[in-house]
Amino acid sequence: MIQRYSQGTSARRIFPILLIAEGLCLSGMSVDLTITSLIGSSLAPAPWMATFPIACIFIGTVIGTPAMGRLVGRFGYRQVFVFGALLAVLGGISSATAL
């Protein structure tokens, strides 16, 4: 169940945690972008294909975000997140075996 925070002390306590989490997320994304382009430039047969995988990730995010909202409304958060985690594991395994 989602816990709702009031305007009191609990909201003030959770804000630094959310701020740190957002900072870590953004720094992880910048590292991911850098590493993807560096590895892509050494593996891709053409220079324009070096950042193609990360472009596909962003396009998939743009297309998939509205669909995820509908899926969460229909199946619930837990089932959608478990399905997303399974897809992430499969993607990681396929990426590891591809290299």
Side-chain angles (χ1 to χ4, degrees):
M1 180 167 198
I2 298 174
Q3 184 177 0
R4 307 263 183 218
Y5 290 97
S6 65
Q7 295 290 344
T9 57
S10 57
R12 289 186 183 140
R13 188 178 49 183
I14 197 78
F15 180 74
I17 296 169
L18 293 174
L19 189 66
I20 291 169
E22 181 68 20
L24 290 172
C25 178
L26 291 175
S27 62
M29 284 176 43
S30 65
V31 168
D32 187 36
L33 288 170
T34 305
I35 291 174
T36 301
S37 61
L38 290 175
I39 292 174
S41 65
S42 66
L43 293 176
W48 66 270
M49 296 177 81
T51 55
F52 185 69
I54 203 75
C56 290
I57 290 171
F58 282 115
I59 291 169
T61 301
V62 168
I63 293 170
T65 299
M68 289 302 116
R70 286 189 219 109
L71 287 174
V72 165
R74 184 172 180 175
F75 298 109
Y77 286 105
R78 180 173 294 225
Q79 290 179 340
V80 173
F81 279 119
V82 167
F83 180 70
L86 289 174
L87 286 179
V89 167
L90 291 174
I93 291 170
S94 67
S95 295
T97 56
L99 292 177

